């Protein structure tokens, strides 16, 4: 089987990859994640739920306001575990490095990884490096994989009619920070990536109430995440536009860049579907943590199959998943 993967094709490439992978017969998949292409797989082992995930990171530039490729690699893996209720235990790291890469930059990346791990009590336990000629690779590529333990597994397909939709903070920060930096806009430090390890925040929320579904709105942003949760759960969602949390600086920059902040990546946020009687308790738990101080209730789950937003002027419009990838190489 030959698959034509053209550089820069964005969503078309991802769609073709998903089609090929899901059409293959997986003799060793075991029904624990590959066919459904979850961000993580749950492996039952001796009465425990072991959560496993892996991710590649090609963000460009590798250093950006609020973070770098090292922090995003660790946080991305920790957050994939956390979205399934998994307490992160151990991570691996593989790096592919172009020849001539600055040692000082590598040290900076590793220090950033270590700091992110320290925030959630996980450890980097094994790794590997490869060096390629500069003509074959423009900059460093980082893979991280991680394992965690979940007392109760949470998936992104558990939304139920009546659930309250909560987002843990301001939307669009990471993607807009990346694009503004690429385009050379200087906003005086007002726009920074939100990249953060979310397990301590999620742990508080899980202890506060009944969470039916979680997803981190990374590639494709809030619009993609809420549509994927809705589709997988077989329900509809109504979002209140005025309840959505945005930084004024992010709104302004998005307008200058011609981007919808609903459609750009976040690297330190979670979208939750919460049992309605626990919504206020979960919201309070999120707001008690620094990474959740801007958390907000933004909508509710209803019968149906679409994501509809009630606008500030009293109308309604569909929130559709983005076509392609609005901000490539964002993570």
């Amino acid at each position: 089987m030959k698959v034509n993967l053209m550089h820069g094709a964005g969503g078309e490439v991802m769609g073709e990859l998903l089609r090929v992978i899901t059409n293959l017969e997986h003799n060793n998949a075991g029904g624990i994640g590959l066919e459904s292409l979850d961000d993580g797989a749950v492996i039952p082992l001796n009465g425990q739920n072991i959560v496993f995930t892996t991710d590649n990171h090609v963000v460009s530039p590798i250093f950006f306001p609020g973070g770098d490729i090292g922090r995003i690699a660790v946080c991305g893996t920790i957050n994939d575990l956390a979205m399934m209720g998994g307490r992160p235990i151990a991570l691996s790291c593989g790096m592919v490095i172009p020849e001539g890469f600055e040692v000082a930059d590598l040290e900076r990346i590793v220090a950033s990884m270590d700091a992110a791990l320290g925030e959630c009590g996980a450890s980097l336990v094994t790794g590997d490096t490869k060096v390629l000629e500069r003509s074959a690779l423009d900059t460093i590529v980082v893979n991280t994989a991680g394992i965690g333990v979940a007392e109760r597994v949470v998936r992104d397909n558990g939304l139920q009619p009546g659930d309250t939709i909560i987002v843990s903070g301001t939307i669009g920060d990471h993607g807009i920070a990346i694009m503004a930096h690429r385009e050379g806009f200087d906003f005086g430090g007002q726009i920074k990536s939100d990249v953060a390890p979310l397990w301590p925040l999620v742990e508080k929320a899980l202890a506060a109430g009944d969470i039916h579904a979680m997803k981190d709105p990374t590639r494709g942003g809030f619009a993609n995440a809420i549509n994927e949760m809705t589709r997988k759960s077989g329900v509809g969602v109504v979002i209140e536009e005025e309840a959505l949390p945005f930084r004024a600086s992010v709104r302004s920059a998005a307008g200058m860049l011609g981007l919808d902040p609903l459609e750009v990546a976040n690297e330190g946020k979670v979208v939750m579907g919460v049992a309605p009687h626990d919504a206020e308790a979960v919201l309070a738990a999120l707001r008690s943590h620094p990474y959740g101080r801007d958390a907000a209730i933004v909508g509710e789950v209803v019968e149906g199959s679409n994501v509809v937003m009630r606008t500030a002027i009293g109308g309604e419009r569909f929130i559709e998943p983005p076509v392609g990838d609005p901000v490539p190489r964002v993570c």
Side-chain angles (χ1 to χ4, degrees), residues 17-50:
L17 280 172
L18 296 184
R19 185 192 66 78
V20 171
I21 293 172
T22 53
N23 282 346
L24 291 174
E25 181 179 349
H26 305 297
N27 293 323
N28 63 345
I32 54 174
L34 186 56
E35 286 88 347
S36 60
L37 291 170
D38 288 335
D39 285 340
V42 179
I43 307 168
L45 183 65
N46 296 329
Q48 290 188 309
N49 296 309
I50 306 300

Side-chain angles (χ1 to χ4, degrees), residues 149-169:
V149 178
E151 291 185 10
R152 183 177 71 87
V153 176
V154 181
R155 296 189 181 273
D156 59 4
N157 64 351
L159 295 178
Q160 301 174 19
D163 282 356
T164 299
I165 300 297
I166 298 177
V167 62
S168 67

Side-chain angles (χ1 to χ4, degrees), residues 1 5 10 24 33 49 62 76 109 123 142 144 164 181 251-252 258 304 322:
M1 179 181 295
L5 302 179
L24 291 174
N49 296 309
I62 60 173
I109 289 167
S123 299
V142 181
T144 46
T164 299
H181 190 63
R251 277 188 180 275
S252 298

